[in-house]
Amino acid sequence: MSYDYIIIGAGSAGCVIANRLSADPNIRVLLLEAGGKDTNPWIHIPVGYFKTLHNPNTDWCYKTEPDPGLNGRALDWPRGKTLGGSSSINGLLYVRGQKEDYDRWAQLGNTGWSWDDVLPLFKRSENHEDGDPELHGKDGELAVSLIRAKSKISEAFIGAAVEMGVPRTDDYNGPDQEGAGYFHQTARKGFRCSSAKAFLTPIKKTRQNLDVVTHAHTTGLVFAPDAPKQVTGVSYSREGSSNRAMLKPGGEVILSAGAIGSPQLLEVSGIGNPQVLSAAGIEARHALPGVGEHLQDHLQIRLVYEVNVPTLNDAINNVLHRAAIGIEYGLRRTGPMSLGASQVAIFAKSMQGLETPDIQFHFQPLSADKPGIEMHPFSGFTSSVCQLRPESRGHIHVTSPDAQVYPKIVPNYLSTTGDQLCAIRAVKFARAMTKTNALAPYIVREHVPSGKVETDEDHLEAARDMAQTIYHPTSTCKMGTDDRAVVDPRLRVHGIRGLRVADASVMPDIVSGNTNAPTIMIGEKCCDMVLEDRRKPS
Ligand SMILES: Cc1cc2nc3c(=O)[nH]c(=O)nc-3n(C[C@H](O)[C@H](O)[C@H](O)COP(=O)(O)OP(=O)(O)OC[C@H]3O[C@@H](n4cnc5c(N)ncnc54)[C@H](O)[C@@H]3O)c2cc1C
């Protein structure tokens, strides 16, 4: 069997690509996914990410190298390993980023990626419960809904932001992102809408021209014996055996294995920086020094407060309340179990003179030492703040030719002065919110940061001690026209034929917000370009 298109990775981007390309019954598509089917029931219950995170059946469970910017701490880096990829274990928050992000991508030479170009693609995927039709789609497959549980303390948090000068908003996904309000979620009637649920489930039984193979770990690209830069297929391992899937003439492989998996597969296939490849014992096939470089991520600084009203900590720590939450969800699909990772979104400017927000808050009416583990034994909330456009760049590189060996992840968090100053302003902003008329009456004490935090140095040190990833690695196969770019604006790998990359790794710069919706948009755009190129006379 040979295919017109082989897609590697059934994640946020891979699922939409498989859907759009297989819409034409004359096109044969293969989708290879290293993880299993999305049958774990916790995948589909919004709050279930507490069960799928750090679970090797659904999470790759990566870990970074110890990071000097975090006082030597190494972070857990979850990534989804199942149909839907990270969209099956993520926090469900539907955020597009800022108009200016995409306009900047276009200004960098990425023609066709401005806000005006990409807005129709966001709308095409979307089935929004209650959005302005100028900005939101109604007919797409990706369900987006308003949250189904609010609380006194979340309202107070929004009130605090408003007192700090942030306008209230019902929709941060339009051309002006600044505002404080409730998150929109990728959910339908109280269930998660992952990319697999949206784009694969409705078609998998009806499209005979689409093969979806799970537990298929792609181990490398296959090249033409007489044309070393022409991809002709992929190799993958499944149930202990080695397999190959081949392309029809003129076919393409689309790498959608995510910001860790995609650069890894390029490198094990001999595409990358020759020095990195040689150190890993890999023969270079094509020099492309940007592979695995330019890594960006959002770093969340998580402040925790004890309050004098019950929060989800109280409910979750109490067996009877837990049962009541379960019953509410079972009967009405509402309440805490219908909530994604955060309730309140705030996009704010941490200093005067900025044109657009530079920090984002994720408010959670609960608190724990780390996301996904036991709640604190007191009524608490988490005020997580992250810098939207970090300057620090890290890298991800292989250390072995074996695709099963995890690559080395070096984020270099807080390694520039600009990021350090932003972290200081962000922590100060978060602490100032707790002194507002709206929020102060509820605050009992600051739990994190603990100890004396007074000077700028103290604030930075506290940030280094408490920050965690907010799970948004991007840009390791960045799109562009410069000599560090890995793909061109049509997502074709520079210098290689028959190969594109389409996932979060191609973002030229990280977007100013959560990365799932932008990655689905990248999948949509990839398909448009693949189909346009297919129609061109050869
Ligand atoms: C815990 C968590 C919470 C998050 N919360 C949010 C949120 O609330 N809102 C938001 O917008 N974003 C969130 N994100 C980020 C967002 O989900 C990701 O940016 C997005 O899903 C990335 O999509 P992708 O297609 O690039 O990669 P993925 O969705 O990760 O897909 C990559 C796929 O490729 C597969 N794969 C990898 N290597 C191979 C291989 N060698 N062979 C075969 N298959 C392979 C993987 O198993 C996976 O299925 C979160 C992410 C995580 C992990």
Side-chain angles (χ1 to χ4, degrees):
M1 178 80 74
S2 56
Y3 294 90
D4 294 291
Y5 300 103
I6 300 173
I7 304 157
I8 303 171
S12 298
C15 291
V16 67
I17 297 171
N19 180 309
R20 302 296 183 235
L21 293 181
S22 65
D24 178 345
N26 297 314
I27 297 179
R28 277 214 74 81
V29 179
L30 173 65
L31 176 61
L32 295 173
E33 167 55 42
K37 292 191 174 146
D38 52 350
T39 46
N40 180 335
W42 286 110
I43 289 175
H44 306 287
I45 298 171
V47 84
Y49 61 89
F50 281 113
K51 300 275 185 192
T52 52
L53 229 57
H54 314 307
N55 172 350
N57 291 322
T58 44
D59 176 1
W60 287 82
C61 304
Y62 291 108
K63 212 169 177 86
T64 69
E65 296 297 301
D67 196 315
L70 303 184
N71 288 334
R73 286 182 304 127
L75 300 187
D76 291 335
W77 261 31
R79 294 279 95 198
K81 189 180 187 183
T82 178
L83 290 181
S86 299
S87 75
S88 286
I89 67 162
N90 75 10
L92 286 88
L93 309 174
Y94 182 81
V95 181
R96 294 171 174 172
Q98 294 173 6
K99 171 184 184 295
E100 292 77 5
D101 295 329
Y102 303 99
D103 289 343
R104 200 164 30 244
W105 290 8
Q107 286 296 312
L108 289 170
N110 298 301
T111 307
W113 290 88
S114 71
W115 173 253
D116 288 344
D117 293 314
V118 302
L119 178 59
L121 303 172
F122 280 112
K123 289 173 71 176
R124 183 203 288 167
S125 308
E126 195 185 13
N127 179 343
H128 198 291
E129 180 181 33
D130 186 29
D132 170 2
E134 287 289 310
L135 289 175
H136 292 280
K138 266 258 169 242
D139 303 322
E141 297 85 345
L142 184 72
V144 180
S145 55
L146 309 178
I147 65 164
R148 299 178 146 222
K150 296 181 179 174
S151 62
K152 218 174 180 178
I153 194 75
S154 54
E155 232 357 90
F157 199 75
I158 294 174
V162 171
E163 269 184 62
M164 300 275 298
V166 183
R168 184 154 188 149
T169 182
D170 290 331
D171 191 356
Y172 48 77
N173 275 320
D176 186 5
Q177 184 192 49
E178 186 177 16
Y182 290 98
F183 273 109
H184 297 190
Q185 299 194 152
T186 43
R188 177 184 286 133
K189 296 185 177 153
F191 287 110
R192 173 192 295 276
C193 187
S194 68
S195 206
K197 191 86 186 171
F199 301 108
L200 281 189
T201 305
I203 59 162
K204 67 182 175 210
K205 294 221 172 76
T206 52
R207 296 218 183 142
Q208 306 304 319
N209 57 329
L210 169 66
D211 290 337
V212 180
V213 185
T214 51
H215 297 296
H217 192 130
T218 304
T219 48
L221 301 164
V222 177
F223 294 85
D226 52 348
K229 303 212 175 174
Q230 170 75 55
V231 174
T232 54
V234 303
S235 55
Y236 64 96
S237 68
R238 187 164 194 266
E239 292 168 349
S241 70
S242 300
N243 305 272
R244 274 186 172 201
M246 302 307 289
L247 291 169
K248 291 182 184 176
E252 292 183 62
V253 168
I254 300 166
L255 203 45
S256 297
I260 302 174
S262 288
Q264 180 188 19
L265 277 167
L266 290 177
E267 289 187 341
V268 294
S269 305
I271 301 169
N273 179 337
Q275 280 168 349
V276 169
L277 300 180
S278 149
I282 298 166
E283 198 185 324
R285 174 179 294 273
H286 179 62
L288 211 46
V291 174
E293 295 290 316
H294 308 110
L295 169 66
Q296 286 188 292
D297 187 23
H298 289 136
L299 184 69
Q300 57 167 336
I301 305 172
R302 296 168 60 83
L303 292 89
V304 174
Y305 291 88
E306 181 176 347
V307 287
N308 55 18
V309 284
T311 63
L312 284 184
N313 289 9
D314 305 86
I316 292 164
N317 289 335
N318 177 302
V319 183
L320 288 179
H321 281 175
R322 244 191 349 252
I325 289 175
I327 292 167
E328 177 181 1
Y329 182 74
L331 293 177
R332 293 202 295 273
R333 303 274 178 264
T334 57
M337 284 182 74
S338 69
L339 276 181
S342 298
Q343 261 182 330
V344 172
I346 295 169
F347 294 94
K349 296 173 183 163
S350 69
M351 62 180 184
Q352 305 237 315
L354 295 175
E355 279 179 19
T356 64
D358 64 334
I359 55 173
Q360 177 185 5
F361 281 85
H362 290 73
F363 170 83
Q364 300 173 314
L366 53 83
S367 67
D369 282 336
K370 254 200 315 193
I373 64 164
E374 270 177 36
M375 303 298 148
H376 288 134
F378 53 81
S379 312
F381 73 73
T382 305
S383 167
S384 152
V385 59
C386 69
Q387 181 186 7
L388 284 169
R389 290 176 299 285
E391 299 164 353
S392 301
R393 303 244 177 194
H395 51 85
I396 295 178
H397 290 302
V398 295
T399 57
S400 159
D402 181 350
Q404 311 273 356
V405 175
Y406 282 8
K408 210 167 157 177
I409 301 171
V410 179
N412 286 336
Y413 289 120
L414 296 175
S415 54
T416 72
T417 308
D419 290 358
Q420 293 161 11
L421 292 174
C422 187
I424 295 167
R425 293 194 304 273
V427 177
K428 287 184 175 172
F429 195 112
R431 296 178 101 195
M433 283 175 71
T434 65
K435 306 276 190 288
T436 57
N437 293 331
L439 201 51
Y442 298 102
I443 304 292
V444 175
R445 71 186 170 94
E446 190 172 64
H447 181 68
V448 179
S450 56
K452 180 182 82 66
V453 180
E454 288 164 8
T455 63
D456 282 1
E457 289 71 29
D458 295 341
H459 280 80
L460 180 58
E461 209 49 24
R464 293 191 193 282
D465 283 339
M466 63 184 152
Q468 292 285 337
T469 174
I470 203 160
Y471 320 115
H472 296 164
T474 67
S475 311
T476 47
C477 300
K478 80 165 182 140
M479 165 170 62
T481 50
D482 60 293
D483 60 1
R484 307 295 287 182
V486 175
V487 297
D488 70 12
R490 298 187 75 75
L491 302 181
R492 299 171 296 206
V493 174
H494 285 294
I496 298 284
R497 288 189 303 280
L499 181 62
R500 298 192 204 226
V501 183
D503 55 28
S505 72
V506 304
M507 293 186 192
D509 292 306
I510 195 166
V511 288
S512 307
N514 311 54
T515 45
N516 185 43
T519 306
I520 292 173
M521 177 280 290
I522 288 168
E524 292 277 15
K525 176 108 185 134
C526 175
C527 294
D528 283 1
M529 296 188 296
V530 166
L531 294 172
E532 272 165 27
D533 291 351
R534 185 182 172 83
R535 286 193 285 268
K536 280 185 194 151
S538 50

